[in-house]
Amino acid sequence: MGVRSPSPGRLVWLLLLAPGAAAADEACVLCHPAERVLAAESIHASEGVGCTGCHGGDPASRDVAAAHRGGFQSLADRTGVPKSCAACHADLEQMRPYNLPVDQYAMYQTSQHGLSVAGGDERAAVCTDCHGVHDIRAPDHPRSPANPANLGATCGRCHGDRSLMERYGHDHELVERYESSVHGRAVAAGNVAAPTCVNCHGVHGATPPGVGDVGKVCGTCHVQARVAFLAGPHGTGLAAANLPECESCHSNHAIHPLDDADLGSLCAECHEGDSEAVQVGLKVRALIGAASEELDRAELLTLEAEKVPLDVEDHLARLGEARTYVTEAQTIVHAVSVEPVEEVTRRARSIGQEIQHELYSELDRTNAHIGLAIFWFYVLMTLVILFGYRRRLGRASGRR
Amino acid sequence: MNEPSTIDPPESAPDRRRLLTWLARGFLSLWGLGFAWLVTSFLKPPRSQRSLTQRVIELGPLESMPVGRARMVRHGRDPVFVVRTDESTFVGLSGVCTHLRCVLTWDEDVSALACPCHNGAFDLSGNVTKGPPPRPLTRYRVETSLGKVYLHL
Amino acid sequence: MNPQRKGWLDWLSERLVLTEIFSLLVSYGFFHAELDSSKPPREALAEAMARPMPSYSAWPRVLGLAAVVLIGVEIFTGGLLTFYYSPTPEGAHASAATILSEVHFGGFVHQVHYWGAQLLLAILALRVLRFFLQRVYRAPRELVWVFASLLLLVAFHAELTGRILPWTGTAYWSGVRALEVVQTIPLYGGLVSFLSGTEGAVISELTLLRFYIFHVVLLPIAMLTLIYLHFSSIRRVGLDPSKVRASASDDGVTFRQHVVNLAILLTVLVAALVTLGVLAPRGLPAGAEPYATLPGVHPPWYLLAPFGFFEITASWLPRWLAGLVLLAATTAFVLVPFWARSLERRGGRLLLMVLAGVAVAVWLALTLYGTKVA
Ligand code: FES
């Protein structure tokens, strides 16, 4: 940064631009206007933390050299950043009013990022890479890079950078794959409950979960599936073979929901083509398939009946209940055993059959047709009587 | 309507003729009977409790709903849970999970609605407390009046 | 008949002007005889019953009577439906669904009402056709034709206003399509917009209510009035094109026979409606979503031809001009008696027939085209 003495006109303009600048920082702004503007938007600015809060120096001095004396740190060396932030953020006293945790620095130091930085690696991520440099915002601010909605892009800045990742021997397509996954798409669709990178890898202590731990990580959200999984033969079998739990079928990052139709073929990827295990898969697939087909048929019939219109409110409500059983079955499948799936799908199927049965009899128009036949008999009789009377009248009046 | 009122019975077999005439009259008057039946049964209001336009549902007397218990009300396609949280407060919550539309169940131990499909859970304000559901549950107003509980949809 | 015995008829006639009531029935074609008010009612009735009259229950004259009977059926079934129908955007579809699925015989009444309307339109159109072919528009029967054609037009309006009432998606959008057509007609389109509270072709809450009022009050009154005038003219001039005045004698039907014929006609019509309603019931599609255009909805069949016409001419004829053509065609149709005669005199009957044939062919072709583009 060159040393300039600002012209008075420029000074006025700058002051106008940053009307909220803390008085203590007024000298910094003379040479570092752009940084000041960014910092003014940060959460630090609203809490009264100015330039010197991180950079030190003497803000009162108008002399360039004097201003950058006295504990000044440029932080141009990125490895110094975490420590600088920790000066406040690891201090319980200072963080208490904000109810912020103070263990991030400690956790960071255990993370892969932290370890690399400690090893002198300038390229590893430091606080500012994820939280912003001067315009640090709270993570729930929509424009914060640490906001769940932006996190994919934030991590992707480095982890999607091919040349950078190659240096570490990392895959640079993970973020891309994540974004195509069911999780990534849910986040993109605005579901704040859907997991981002940090939900599996940890926040400040970001580290890839160990192979044996992936299942536990998934299980924090997919509780039911994991319980079923552990109870079934896969739970013990995969652990014994030291194979990953969920990943084996669902892969990682690009996690896609499996189609019911995949069940048999998926089993055959590990098991012999005609083994009992594949049979179980096929059986389960058949059960779920049959149940959802039954429900599809029932739904079609319901829609048809609705147009008549019959009162199908109750049928639709029961259909919703039956669909719940099928969704449940798709979770229970993780126990890779036929019986529990059979139980729930049987319930779903019987509801579907019941609905169809009821609607068929309601839609059946035989009754209406019998009524119509009786009606026509009556009409014909009436016509016979009326024509007979007419003929007699004609005879009586002596004509025709 | 137009009974053959003035048929003159011919001389031959007058009794049979008269009988036939009366039969014909009786037969024709059945039209009137059927007609009256149609109109009266049409005008009789259907006693369906679940008319589509109905926006307020009576759930029965206060005593029928013990404190801390939930009741699943089926109206329309989506069920609604009505929970009596204390003597005077009722909560109405949609009974359909906002994740994949599974039907929720009432977990009495923790006073929450739980989803059997992916372990989603909702508190009594309808907020998601656990699991994948992206949105809170829709809330419905429940009112008590003259010792009866009403659900407003 | 015993003149000494005082029956309920005599009792009533001492307190009511029975002949007045009787002549009301006469006005709508149920009877064609005046009562002699100077005689005691029983005697007058008996005399009227035995009086010979033109047979209005023989083909093709029966069409007029059938139309009246059908209007009666429509008024009756429509009256029943008003007991449950609610003309608000929120309530319309739901109440229609209630009628169809919950009210006893609700579906039945609805089906009969629907099929009655279709049959009525068909019969009124058939009647106009037969009047044209048998030249029942020549002097002095100009007004017979004018009222018959107006009756047909009013019936179209009644059908159109009625079809929107269930507020289903198809009803709504077919109503919108219809309004698009009607509103291009100069003057008349503006009048319709004004009366139905529509701006552009947007059907609002107000429109539904107004259509309802038109459908259940104003249009039925208009139809009854037109029938009254129409039949009044027929009573004066008769329907026999070879005669100048109505004559009572030669068909050789007594009034009593006519009443029986009427009963037979009523039975046959009701049987037809019930059969149609049971075998070809109209379902109730989903409710209207005014903000989501439903694809593939046609305007009502009788407006397909104008719709097709607008589509064909869209590129080279300004819309108002196309509307003007439509207005001119409709006016020419109503006023056939006043120009057809001179045309016949100049070019002969053949020319007129060819003209009518071309008109019908164009109509059919446009309808076909309208079905395709809609
Ligand atoms: S459907 Fe309720 S949690 Fe998935």
Side-chain angles (χ1 to χ4, degrees):
Chain A
M1 203 134 314
V3 178
R4 290 168 291 171
S5 68
S7 70
R10 187 181 158 116
L11 184 74
V12 170
W13 181 75
L14 285 171
L15 286 173
L16 282 176
L17 192 75
D25 289 335
E26 68 187 36
C28 307
V29 84
L30 299 179
C31 299
H32 304 289
E35 287 78 3
R36 190 70 198 90
V37 170
L38 285 173
E41 285 183 27
S42 74
I43 188 163
H44 282 155
S46 54
E47 293 302 332
V49 179
C51 311
T52 53
C54 300
H55 291 284
D58 178 8
S61 170
R62 303 269 164 122
D63 176 66
V64 173
H68 292 119
R69 232 180 273 131
F72 170 77
Q73 47 179 352
S74 79
L75 293 176
D77 173 15
R78 289 160 41 84
T79 54
V81 170
K83 202 154 184 216
S84 161
C85 298
C88 299
H89 279 275
D91 179 8
L92 198 57
E93 281 299 305
Q94 286 188 67
M95 287 304 112
R96 187 168 290 139
Y98 307 110
N99 198 18
L100 284 178
V102 289
D103 58 351
Q104 298 109 322
Y105 183 55
M107 285 171 65
Y108 173 75
Q109 284 172 311
T110 69
S111 74
Q112 222 33 261
H113 292 149
L115 291 174
S116 302
V117 168
D121 185 349
E122 270 237 6
R123 282 180 302 263
V126 295
C127 312
T128 49
D129 287 306
C130 301
H131 290 281
V133 187
H134 291 104
D135 53 344
I136 295 171
R137 294 181 172 87
D140 53 12
H141 190 286
R143 274 165 67 193
S144 164
N147 184 290
N150 306 329
L151 211 54
T154 303
C155 298
R157 265 215 344 261
C158 299
H159 285 273
D161 179 340
R162 181 168 186 172
S163 60
L164 185 62
M165 284 301 110
E166 264 168 6
R167 278 176 208 243
Y168 297 92
H170 284 349
D171 192 340
H172 68 280
E173 282 168 343
L174 295 179
V175 177
E176 216 170 279
R177 267 187 251 150
Y178 160 78
E179 274 165 356
S180 76
S181 75
V182 63
H183 294 149
R185 276 182 284 130
V187 170
N191 183 348
V192 288
T196 59
C197 312
V198 297
N199 291 75
C200 299
H201 293 282
V203 187
H204 293 100
T207 297
V211 172
D213 293 337
V214 174
K216 296 186 188 112
V217 170
C218 301
T220 55
C221 295
H222 299 273
V223 188
Q224 220 94 321
R226 184 162 148 87
V227 167
F229 179 85
L230 290 179
H234 278 167
T236 42
L238 288 180
N242 203 17
L243 285 170
E245 297 177 0
C246 314
E247 251 184 299
S248 303
C249 298
H250 294 278
S251 89
N252 54 35
H253 295 98
I255 297 162
H256 292 296
L258 288 172
D259 213 352
D260 297 330
D262 296 335
L263 271 169
S265 52
L266 202 65
C267 306
E269 275 177 24
C270 300
H271 296 276
E272 293 285 338
D274 50 357
S275 62
E276 207 181 310
V278 174
Q279 292 307 317
V280 169
L282 290 174
K283 188 92 194 278
V284 165
R285 175 172 81 177
L287 284 172
I288 296 184
S292 19
E293 267 170 36
E294 197 74 64
L295 296 185
D296 288 346
R297 272 198 297 276
E299 186 167 346
L300 273 183
L301 203 61
T302 321
L303 294 181
E304 202 178 297
E306 198 177 16
K307 282 199 205 121
V308 167
L310 299 174
D311 183 7
V312 292
E313 294 281 291
D314 188 52
H315 299 101
L316 283 170
R318 270 149 63 206
L319 205 60
E321 189 189 328
R323 293 258 187 230
T324 303
Y325 288 134
V326 173
T327 315
E328 244 183 294
Q330 284 160 342
T331 309
I332 297 177
V333 167
H334 292 94
V336 284
S337 131
V338 176
E339 288 79 39
V341 175
E342 193 164 22
E343 195 191 316
V344 281
T345 50
R346 198 186 313 122
R347 269 184 263 164
R349 276 178 70 174
S350 65
I351 293 178
Q353 282 162 353
E354 193 185 43
I355 290 174
Q356 287 181 61
H357 186 79
E358 286 173 18
L359 286 180
Y360 270 127
S361 58
E362 277 186 55
L363 280 172
D364 189 6
R365 305 192 48 80
T366 347
N367 276 347
H369 292 170
I370 293 174
L372 190 64
I374 296 174
F375 174 78
W376 264 102
F377 165 76
Y378 206 79
V379 166
L380 290 178
M381 287 299 286
T382 308
L383 287 180
V384 166
I385 293 175
L386 288 175
F387 273 107
Y389 181 46
R390 196 170 84 137
R391 219 189 47 231
R392 235 167 333 120
L393 277 182
R395 246 194 266 121
S397 66
R399 291 189 184 87
R400 195 169 53 90
Chain B
M1 75 214 75
N2 298 297
E3 279 100 314
S5 52
T6 52
I7 297 174
D8 309 317
E11 300 83 84
S12 62
D15 282 344
R16 220 191 60 179
R17 176 57 79 194
R18 191 166 309 136
L19 182 71
L20 266 180
T21 308
W22 275 106
L23 267 182
R25 282 184 195 178
F27 191 81
L28 291 185
S29 57
L30 281 182
W31 278 106
L33 225 59
F35 189 71
W37 176 52
L38 186 138
V39 172
T40 39
S41 45
F42 181 91
L43 293 184
K44 194 164 140 255
R47 63 186 150 72
S48 155
Q49 293 303 301
R50 313 186 312 121
S51 147
L52 292 163
T53 40
Q54 196 179 347
R55 286 276 155 262
V56 180
I57 304 167
E58 191 193 310
L59 302 180
L62 265 175
E63 308 86 67
S64 70
M65 304 199 56
V67 174
R69 291 280 180 77
R71 168 132 143 231
M72 196 205 239
V73 182
R74 270 194 186 164
H75 178 94
R77 28 204 77 175
D78 294 351
V80 175
F81 275 99
V82 176
V83 188
R84 185 169 187 185
T85 48
D86 63 50
E87 276 309 315
S88 56
T89 343
F90 286 84
V91 176
L93 288 172
S94 154
V96 176
C97 184
T98 53
H99 179 219
L100 293 181
R101 289 192 55 83
C102 284
V103 179
L104 302 172
T105 52
W106 169 244
D107 188 338
E108 189 150 349
D109 297 339
V110 293
S111 286
L113 290 169
C115 180
C117 291
H118 314 103
N119 248 41
F122 300 86
D123 65 14
L124 279 178
S125 308
N127 297 323
V128 185
T129 53
K130 200 167 72 173
R135 271 169 287 111
L137 296 173
T138 314
R139 301 187 55 156
Y140 297 99
R141 198 152 59 85
V142 184
E143 227 177 39
T144 53
S145 163
L146 299 174
K148 292 220 172 121
V149 189
Y150 297 90
L151 172 64
H152 293 251
L153 288 177
Chain C
M1 226 77 15
N2 187 348
Q4 290 100 318
R5 207 183 87 214
K6 276 211 167 182
W8 55 273
L9 216 51
D10 302 277
W11 187 89
L12 268 183
S13 86
E14 277 158 23
R15 289 154 181 87
L16 276 175
V17 189
L18 280 183
T19 43
E20 247 172 45
I21 297 174
F22 192 79
S23 61
L24 191 74
L25 295 175
V26 171
S27 309
Y28 289 98
F30 293 116
F31 306 126
H32 295 270
E34 298 290 345
L35 273 195
D36 188 346
S37 50
S38 62
K39 289 182 186 157
R42 210 167 264 282
E43 214 172 296
L45 199 61
E47 192 246 342
M49 284 283 199
R51 206 184 285 158
M53 58 174 287
S55 170
Y56 282 101
S57 41
W59 178 263
R61 288 185 178 172
V62 72
L63 289 176
L65 206 48
V68 177
V69 169
L70 280 174
I71 288 175
V73 170
E74 290 303 281
I75 289 177
F76 179 74
T77 50
L80 282 183
L81 292 174
T82 58
F83 278 78
Y84 290 103
Y85 178 73
S86 123
T88 60
E90 305 83 41
H93 185 261
S95 62
T98 306
I99 292 175
L100 270 125
S101 59
E102 286 173 30
V103 176
H104 300 281
F105 292 112
F108 176 81
V109 172
H110 170 88
Q111 304 297 355
V112 170
H113 193 70
Y114 170 78
W115 280 109
Q118 307 307 313
L119 211 58
L120 179 61
L121 285 182
I123 284 180
L124 288 177
L126 211 61
R127 249 181 120 234
V128 171
L129 188 67
R130 101 126 172 125
F131 283 169
F132 184 81
L133 292 179
Q134 302 192 339
R135 288 185 267 187
V136 186
Y137 51 79
R138 291 184 171 183
R141 295 189 179 78
E142 295 95 334
L143 289 184
V144 172
W145 170 276
V146 169
F147 290 135
S149 54
L150 282 179
L151 198 54
L152 179 63
L153 293 178
V154 172
F156 281 145
H157 285 72
E159 209 273 357
L160 180 64
T161 48
R163 87 170 33 219
I164 290 183
L165 298 186
W167 210 242
T168 63
T170 17
Y172 179 87
W173 286 105
S174 123
V176 171
R177 294 284 112 77
L179 275 180
E180 278 168 11
V181 172
V182 172
Q183 280 176 344
T184 48
I185 301 174
L187 293 178
Y188 184 67
L191 184 71
V192 168
S193 300
F194 175 73
L195 286 181
S196 56
T198 49
E199 238 177 83
V202 174
I203 293 188
S204 65
E205 191 173 323
L206 217 54
T207 319
L208 180 61
L209 185 58
R210 292 191 180 186
F211 270 33
Y212 177 67
I213 292 169
F214 271 97
H215 185 76
V216 303
V217 183
L218 300 179
L219 290 173
I221 289 179
M223 283 173 96
L224 290 178
T225 313
L226 280 172
I227 287 189
Y228 173 79
L229 293 170
H230 179 56
F231 283 5
S232 164
S233 168
I234 290 180
R235 274 197 302 283
R236 172 68 72 222
V237 300
L239 279 179
D240 187 344
S242 59
K243 298 208 178 70
V244 178
R245 297 201 58 131
S247 63
S249 55
D250 10 71
D251 286 293
V253 183
T254 62
F255 186 61
R256 195 189 297 283
Q257 278 166 317
H258 173 74
V259 171
V260 181
N261 288 341
L262 188 63
I264 292 174
L265 179 66
L266 181 65
T267 314
V268 170
L269 280 177
V270 167
L273 289 182
V274 170
T275 311
L276 280 171
V278 172
L279 294 186
R282 291 271 296 179
L284 186 72
E289 285 281 358
Y291 302 110
T293 310
L294 212 60
V297 176
H298 297 228
W301 60 268
Y302 40 84
L303 282 178
L304 277 175
F307 189 76
F309 177 66
F310 283 132
E311 289 297 317
I312 280 187
T313 57
S315 51
W316 49 272
L317 204 63
R319 238 166 137 71
W320 65 267
L321 208 60
L324 200 65
V325 171
L326 203 65
L327 186 65
T330 316
T331 319
F333 165 69
V334 174
L335 297 182
V336 159
F338 303 104
W339 54 265
R341 193 75 190 103
S342 63
L343 198 73
E344 268 181 294
R345 227 175 273 126
R346 238 170 286 144
R349 174 114 177 107
L350 193 66
L351 180 66
L352 190 64
M353 282 298 153
V354 168
L355 199 70
V358 168
V360 170
V362 167
W363 173 275
L364 287 180
L366 283 175
T367 300
L368 212 66
Y369 182 74
T371 323
K372 270 210 213 94
V373 291

